[in-house]
């Protein structure tokens, strides 16, 4: 039963926008666990928000690979465009900004996670365009923001380029 804690916390967060104390208590009842055990999981994983966040939650990876490839420019662009700092939410509740420590997609750095979508290979300018689109109610395409095939090198794949390699 304890293995259901993470999926239930995720469900609660999707329903409420964040993980509330009553949700933690209800999950504990459902799983026949102490509420403290549920809270331990909720506080361990940074994907769970224990306080309200904006409808559009922007998380910027600032770990070393992202920083080396320009995450400071992305952070600056977000702060200027949204008028808020890290850990803050816009007054209308539409956007919140947070720091994400390693998204695990370093090859496509810098990375920003917006709600469930990852935006990769960003620049400050491209981040402003994405925020403009989101503010207009559009959902810009996620994934690499440059001409890159998923996580392949920027010049394209360099190995296993022959589709007949398995026949040899």
């Amino acid at each position: 039963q304890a293995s259901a804690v993470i999926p239930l916390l995720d469900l609660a967060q999707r329903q409420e926008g964040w993980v509330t104390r009553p949700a933690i208590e209800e999950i504990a009842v459902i799983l026949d666990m102490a509420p403290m055990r549920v809270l331990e999981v909720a506080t361990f994983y940074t994907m769970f928000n224990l306080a309200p966040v904006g409808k559009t939650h922007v998380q910027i990876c600032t770990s070393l690979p992202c920083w080396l490839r320009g995450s400071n420019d992305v952070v600056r662009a977000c702060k200027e465009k949204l008028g808020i700092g890290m850990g803050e939410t816009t007054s209308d509740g539409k956007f919140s900004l947070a720091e994400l420590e390693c998204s695990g997609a370093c090859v496509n750095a810098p990375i920003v996670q917006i709600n469930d979508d990852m935006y990769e290979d960003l620049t400050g300018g491209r981040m402003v365009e994405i925020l403009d689109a989101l503010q207009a109610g559009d959902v810009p395409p996620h994934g690499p923001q440059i001409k890159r095939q998923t996580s392949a090198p920027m010049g394209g794949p360099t190995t296993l380029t022959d589709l007949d390699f398995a026949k040899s």
Side-chain angles (χ1 to χ4, degrees):
Q1 282 181 304
S3 65
V5 170
I6 291 176
L8 288 175
L9 285 169
D10 182 63
L11 180 62
Q13 182 164 280
R14 288 178 189 280
Q15 290 174 347
E16 298 291 326
W18 60 293
V19 178
T20 64
R21 178 63 111 190
I24 288 171
E25 292 169 0
E26 184 61 26
I27 291 168
V29 168
I30 292 168
L31 299 178
D32 193 28
M33 297 172 65
M36 180 53 71
R37 297 291 174 226
V38 178
L39 182 60
E40 286 172 345
V41 174
T43 57
F44 180 79
Y45 292 100
T46 58
M47 64 190 194
F48 297 120
N49 301 304
L50 299 178
V53 294
K55 182 176 173 121
T56 303
H57 189 46
V58 180
Q59 300 175 81
I60 306 169
C61 181
T62 57
S63 65
L64 184 61
C66 284
W67 177 77
L68 288 170
R69 298 218 39 222
S71 67
N72 281 353
D73 293 336
V74 175
V75 168
R76 188 177 312 105
C78 288
K79 286 179 174 181
E80 290 174 4
K81 179 69 182 170
L82 298 174
I84 57 174
M86 290 293 191
E88 295 179 351
T89 301
T90 57
S91 59
D92 60 7
K94 291 185 179 177
F95 289 87
S96 57
L97 191 57
E99 186 173 9
L100 175 66
E101 191 57 43
C102 194
S103 62
C106 304
V107 70
N108 291 26
I111 308 293
V112 169
Q113 181 176 338
I114 301 176
N115 295 338
D116 288 334
D117 296 324
M118 300 295 281
Y119 292 82
E120 308 158 2
D121 297 304
L122 289 167
T123 63
R126 179 62 185 137
M127 191 66 225
V128 169
E129 292 171 359
I130 290 169
L131 292 172
D132 284 341
L134 291 166
Q135 287 175 327
D138 297 329
V139 179
H142 58 275
Q145 299 298 301
I146 60 172
K147 294 182 189 240
R148 179 198 297 262
Q149 178 187 359
T150 60
S151 295
M154 290 201 298
T158 58
T159 58
L160 302 175
T161 57
D162 182 4
L163 296 179
D164 294 327
F165 70 91
K167 295 178 184 176
S168 53

